[in-house]
DNA sequence: TGGTAACCGAGACGGTACGTCGGGTCTTGGA
DNA sequence: TCCAAGACCCGACGTACCGTCTCGGTTACCA
């Protein structure tokens, strides 16, 4: 495989590219984001982007992987309702925030367009959080035995995606709480 | 605004365009689909497309509106579990079918990219089905009073979207049935 | 042959491109001349250049064909020496003028790089002048019968090219006159 | 100017570069010849080329200087016609040979593009041969006194360049002989 | 029933970005 | 210190589509 030697890679350029990508994503639509603009903003040749990434999708995936990857912690206060409320409220807030949801939008589009990237998005960005919630659910005595934990976690996050994408309702704290109640009812 | 006179519209061209759009969508990605290709395939000038639609998104939305718009019926056998299973199984099957899910993918991308189209997608394509399910739920004595019907319906469809987009698990009949069980448990 | 329909061609653009090409050729080297710059200067899309020409070489060939193509007249005063002096002095002056020789340089380079263009350069730009001189020589009683007219004309122009390319001496009027004397001596 | 110390120069690399340049010149056009390709073919870093030469023009100039530089001898049999025929026939043959004329083409292009290189090409490659012919002419009693020897030599070589560049006729032995006759007529 | 105004197919146009190529410079590791 | 290797910034390449704009030709309404 004649891919470039990562040892020779210029760290300064790498950082500049990821930073530029995130900046531009905040200023325009994902569809309007261009590799050319990223290169220009980063003060970098286009080739340097294409040398290390397959396209803009891969760049922003990397950019976001870098910023995330730390907030996987999920509290276990012993009170499942409280813990779930915390995480679901946070998630709902993130989707409600136009700034943050721009990146989610970008990733979702890329997820739908490129199978290879979809895998990476799933594994590197989403999985950690989902796994944390799964672990919490598994440890909870309130959860009825026999419940499929994968489905349980989708019961919590799926509706948020749905409402966010289709804009069928507000993404508020009370919505989050209501969602938790429904889920708890399903799982107990 | 002197928008074109629909009376003069060439029905043959309209059909050819919608058909070509669907054909091409089956052959390539939505991202690779171009207005130029649609026009060529339909044997039509590009202007004829731009005269009647805002872009490729609007075209495929119309194309899909035409094919759908009929299967909104939802049976009311008196058995809520059976009725939900029917509709959820059908939905899951649609998402599992690569052919059909290509169009869903296209619509979802457009939904995420263009607010104006998102509204239309929601209202013309999704709402009818969601409304039918809502009506069924509202009429069901099994559903605990006080449950937010909007949330209830999202509890059914949200997880499917989630699993489909993130490819976190299989989209099978037994998955559909399990989902119905969880939802019923939440709503009763 | 799926080449574009010349009937649809935009005359304004065509002119702007040729003019821009000549302008730029006066400002920089032929090697530094780019299609992109021509397009920009002409206020034209690059595609419009590539639609009608094979590259920058073809463009400047066209540009020069347009400006030339008229000065083919050669006087016949009855005095061969005088007539040849006139034409050779003019040619030498053209090669001596840095402005004019820039275009000759460009054409010569292209001639050496691209066989197809070379033919056109020869036939459309050079041949008319050479033919005029040939006709004059053929009509001259001073010229010894049996002289190959093609070689005769090369005897006049070849040395000019040689001196110009290799910069082995000045390109002055007296040089021109000396050359005519030598040629006359050879032909009589 | 701290130009590199030639003492440290790697002779093996130097040779490999010049050889590669000549090889590639035989395989493609001069315009398509790239420094990158030379470096790759020679198994050498690009920097090693740029350290010692100004660009591809300088490299091939050096390559050709090496191969030439020896055939400057011009016979003096006492028979001017015979001697000129020998040298002009050889020159015409060289221009007629596609293999050899490729290098001439390259040099001519570079001569037209780069003044500094033009000087070197003239002095190191062409001058020796021209000087040899000039010496022969100067020594010839057949040549009419007062003839400008510089012009005389151009009268011999100029037409060949002209015919070769413009492809206006065949480059054969009989053409060479005819040219010699014309020149002799001019000089006597 | 002939005029005229809109539609239509075709496709050229000014643009923007694509992904690639090569130029010439700079950096790294090994000899 | 030089070398091979090759990453880097840069700029141009030639292509693909965008959405707009003619261009004739054909409908289909209206006088």
């Amino acid at each position: 495989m004649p891919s470039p030697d990562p040892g020779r890679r210029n760290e300064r350029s790498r950082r500049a590219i990821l930073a530029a990508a995130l900046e531009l994503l905040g200023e325009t639509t994902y569809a309007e984001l261009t590799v050319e603009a990223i290169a220009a903003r980063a003060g970098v040749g286009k080739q340097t982007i294409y040398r290390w990434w397959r396209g803009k999708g891969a760049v922003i995936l990397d950019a976001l992987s870098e910023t995330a990857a730390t907030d996987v912690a999920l509290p276990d206060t012993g009170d499942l309702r409280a813990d779930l409320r915390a995480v679901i409220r946070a998630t709902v807030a993130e989707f409600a925030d136009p700034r943050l949801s721009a990146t989610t939008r970008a990733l979702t589009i890329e997820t739908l367009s490129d199978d290879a990237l979809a895998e990476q998005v799933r594994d590197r960005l989403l999985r950690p959080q989902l796994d944390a919630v799964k672990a919490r659910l598994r440890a909870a005595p309130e959860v009825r035995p026999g419940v499929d934990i994968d489905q349980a976690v989708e019961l919590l996050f799926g509706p948020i995606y749905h409402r966010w994408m289709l804009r069928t309702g507000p993404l508020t704290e009370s919505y989050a709480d209501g969602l938790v109640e429904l889920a708890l009812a399903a799982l107990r």
Side-chain angles (χ1 to χ4, degrees), chain A:
Chain A
M1 200 200 310
S3 75
D5 171 6
R8 295 212 173 281
R9 186 164 189 178
N10 184 333
E11 180 62 15
R12 170 197 295 289
S13 296
R14 198 187 124 268
R15 279 201 211 293
I17 289 163
L18 298 182
L22 286 182
E23 273 179 49
L24 289 166
L25 197 55
E27 297 168 16
T28 57
T29 323
Y30 178 69
E32 288 165 347
L33 181 65
T34 65
V35 171
E36 213 142 55
I38 296 173
R41 174 75 62 103
V44 140
K46 275 200 288 179
Q47 195 63 49
T48 301
I49 295 184
Y50 285 111
R51 196 181 347 260
W52 303 107
W53 290 278
R54 291 207 309 101
K56 69 174 177 176
V59 173
I60 63 115
L61 169 57
D62 256 27
L64 293 173
S65 309
E66 205 110 317
T67 47
T70 42
D71 43 84
V72 283
L74 186 69
D76 184 348
T77 63
D79 180 354
L80 182 61
R81 166 175 286 115
D83 292 349
L84 287 182
R85 278 194 168 177
V87 68
I88 295 303
R89 280 183 174 188
T91 304
V92 166
E94 189 188 319
F95 278 83
D97 176 356
R99 200 81 174 61
L100 292 175
S101 77
T103 69
T104 310
R105 209 192 311 276
L107 282 179
T108 310
I109 292 175
E110 205 58 45
T111 286
L112 289 164
S113 315
D114 184 326
D115 276 9
L117 277 181
E119 245 176 81
Q120 301 216 278
V121 169
R122 191 214 311 136
D123 294 346
R124 290 168 48 191
L125 290 176
L126 279 348
R127 186 103 79 191
Q129 177 163 31
L130 297 182
D131 281 352
V133 176
K134 280 196 225 170
R136 179 67 186 84
L137 287 175
R138 246 188 293 265
E142 295 95 329
V143 173
R144 168 168 36 98
V147 163
D148 182 326
I149 296 293
D150 286 334
Q151 289 201 26
V153 91
E154 286 168 14
L155 210 62
L156 281 161
F157 291 99
I160 304 178
Y161 266 85
H162 195 268
R163 176 165 288 211
W164 169 68
M165 280 196 308
L166 303 182
R167 302 164 181 73
T168 40
L171 289 162
T172 59
E173 254 186 21
S174 70
Y175 162 72
D177 293 349
L179 178 56
V180 169
E181 290 315 310
L182 274 176
L184 282 178
L187 301 178
R188 261 193 304 238

